[in-house]
Amino acid sequence: MSGRQGGKAKPLKAPKKKTQDFDDEDVAFKAKQKADAAAKKKLAEQAKKGGPMVGGGIKKSVDLQEPKLCATNMPALKKFDANVARHVRSMNKNLCANMIRHEYIVTGRTKAKRAQAKIEAFLGKALHENKQIQDQPLEYRYNNVRALNYLQQADKKEVGSKVLEELSKRYADRTHGFTRVTKLEPRLGEDKAAMAILELVDSEFEIKFWYVAKTVARLELQGLKVDPLTQHNVEKLVKRRFDGETKFREAVEQCKERFFNFSPEEGRVVDEESEANLRNVPADSEVQSGAKAPWPTKTRLNTKPRTQKKKVELPKSPFLA
C-alpha cells in the first residue's frame, strides 16, 4: 500500500459462482419442491382461519398449530392440576359466603388459613368500594360494587346485601382484620385433623368474646383480680364494638349463671361441685393477679434443714513452688 492511499483497503471480491447446467430431472425436482412449499403455505393459512384442511399431494402430517399453554405450565397453578385448582377456588368462595352468612364456620385449620386471606381481601375491597358510593341507594351500590362479583351467583344477592347493609356499618372504622382463626382440638376419628373456627370479629357469636367473658366471670367468683393479659383482651374486644362495655358486662353475668350455677337472687353459687371447682385456685395466683386469695394457696411442709458440709483443706502440691 502506498503512502498516498488512505482508508481501508477494499476486500477482494469473491469469485463468481459457476453457472450450473440443470438437466430435465433437476428442473422437475425443483418444480416439485416449489409446489410442495406452496401447498404447505396454503394449508397453514387455512388452519389459522379455521377452515377445513383439504389438500392433495402431501402425505406427511404436519402440526401447523401453535402449542397451547398447558395447565401445569401456568404460573398460578404450579401446585394443582386444573381441576383441583378450580375446585379450590370454588371451595374458597363457598367458605367466604357461608362465613359471612353465619358469621362463623368450623373447618380444618389449613382450609381456614387459606380461606382467611381470600375473605380478608374480598371484604376489604367490597367495603372500600361501598364507602365511595355510600350515599347512593342499595340497588345502585349492589350493581356497582365490582368486588361482589367474587361471590357465586347463588350467594351474591343474600351475602352481598349483608355486606353492604350490615357489615359496612359494623366495620366503618376498619380497613383490615375482619376475621379471626381460633384453634380447636383435633377432630375425633381416624384422621385426627386439626380443626379451627373461622369467624367475623365484633359479632354476637364471637368465640373469643365469650371465652374472655367466662374467664372474667370465674375470676370475679373466685375473688381474684383480673390479670393484665385478660384485661388487655377485654379492652381489645370492647374497643370497636358498639356499646361494647354493656354487652360484655351482660355476657359476664350470663357466664356466671350458665357455667358456674350462680344465682343472682341468692348472690352465691348454688351447686356444690361448681363451688368446689372455684376453690381450685392456682398456686401462683398471687403472681398472676397481684391479689391474695381468700384461702391459703401454699402449705409449708415440715422439713429439716440440710446440714452444712464441712470444709476440707487440700494439701499443697509438691510441684507448685
Side-chain angles (χ1 to χ4, degrees):
M1 181 184 296
S2 63
R4 294 182 180 180
Q5 186 177 359
K8 291 184 179 180
K10 295 182 180 180
L12 298 176
K13 293 184 179 180
K16 294 183 179 180
K17 295 182 179 180
K18 296 181 180 180
T19 57
Q20 297 180 358
D21 297 331
F22 296 105
D23 54 3
D24 296 339
E25 293 182 359
D26 294 335
V27 173
F29 179 73
K30 291 287 184 180
K32 186 179 179 183
Q33 281 185 336
K34 290 182 180 180
D36 291 346
K40 288 182 181 180
K41 186 176 180 181
K42 186 177 180 181
L43 286 174
E45 292 177 356
Q46 290 180 358
K48 289 182 179 179
K49 294 179 181 179
M53 297 179 64
V54 180
I58 298 179
K59 297 182 179 179
K60 295 182 180 180
S61 60
V62 182
D63 189 7
L64 300 174
Q65 296 182 355
E66 297 181 358
K68 295 183 179 180
L69 189 61
C70 183
T72 56
N73 298 332
M74 296 177 67
L77 305 176
K78 287 183 179 179
K79 295 184 179 179
F80 304 106
D81 187 60
N83 294 330
V84 178
R86 195 179 301 113
H87 172 70
V88 169
R89 286 195 295 267
S90 178
M91 183 171 57
N92 290 337
K93 293 179 181 180
N94 290 334
L95 288 173
C96 177
N98 288 324
M99 199 204 67
I100 294 174
R101 183 183 291 114
H102 304 292
E103 302 205 356
Y104 76 96
I105 52 174
V106 180
T107 182
R109 195 174 300 170
T110 305
K111 195 183 298 183
K113 283 287 187 180
R114 184 174 59 211
Q116 185 184 25
K118 304 294 182 183
I119 297 170
E120 287 280 347
F122 164 71
L123 287 177
K125 292 177 182 177
L127 295 178
H128 176 71
E129 293 179 10
N130 178 67
K131 198 171 184 179
Q132 307 300 323
I133 53 175
Q134 59 184 354
D135 299 334
Q136 302 295 331
L138 177 62
E139 186 176 357
Y140 179 84
R141 288 181 289 157
Y142 177 79
N143 295 326
N144 288 272
V145 175
R146 293 180 295 176
L148 298 180
N149 296 330
Y150 173 75
L151 300 171
Q152 297 193 18
Q153 197 64 29
D155 304 323
K156 186 176 179 181
K157 186 173 183 180
E158 179 186 359
V159 177
S161 301
K162 183 174 182 179
V163 170
L164 299 180
E165 287 184 322
E166 184 178 344
L167 299 186
S168 61
K169 298 177 183 178
R170 185 191 302 178
Y171 302 133
D173 300 332
R174 286 183 181 267
T175 57
H176 58 279
F178 308 103
T179 60
R180 179 186 293 114
V181 175
T182 305
K183 296 180 182 179
L184 298 177
E185 296 84 1
R187 179 167 52 196
L188 298 177
E190 296 181 357
D191 57 351
K192 301 291 190 299
M195 303 298 291
I197 292 180
L198 181 60
E199 59 183 356
L200 290 174
V201 299
D202 298 342
S203 68
E204 297 180 359
F205 308 99
E206 193 175 359
I207 302 300
K208 187 176 181 180
F209 178 81
W210 288 99
Y211 185 80
V212 175
K214 181 182 176 182
T215 304
V216 173
R218 176 180 58 80
L219 292 174
E220 289 182 357
L221 292 176
Q222 288 179 331
L224 300 177
K225 186 179 178 181
V226 178
D227 55 277
L229 179 59
T230 306
Q231 184 64 33
H232 176 68
N233 290 331
V234 172
E235 293 174 358
K236 286 178 63 178
L237 292 169
V238 171
K239 183 178 180 180
R240 297 180 181 273
R241 190 184 298 267
F242 177 74
D243 199 9
E245 295 183 0
T246 305
K247 291 182 178 179
F248 185 79
R249 194 67 248 171
E250 293 175 356
V252 170
E253 298 300 328
Q254 291 182 23
C255 290
K256 287 182 180 180
E257 298 178 15
R258 183 168 183 178
F259 296 106
F260 303 105
N261 297 316
F262 179 78
S263 176
E265 293 81 8
E266 300 182 14
R268 64 182 184 87
V269 178
V270 296
D271 186 28
E272 295 181 358
E273 185 177 357
S274 300
E275 189 175 0
N277 291 333
L278 289 173
R279 291 198 188 98
N280 186 16
V281 180
D284 55 347
S285 60
E286 297 181 9
V287 179
Q288 291 181 358
S289 62
K292 189 174 290 186
W295 47 82
T297 58
K298 295 182 181 179
T299 56
R300 191 172 184 82
L301 301 177
N302 297 325
T303 56
K304 296 180 180 180
R306 181 180 295 179
T307 57
Q308 295 182 356
K309 294 182 179 180
K310 296 180 180 179
K311 293 183 179 180
V312 179
E313 294 183 1
L314 298 176
K316 292 184 179 181
S317 175
F319 300 100
L320 297 176

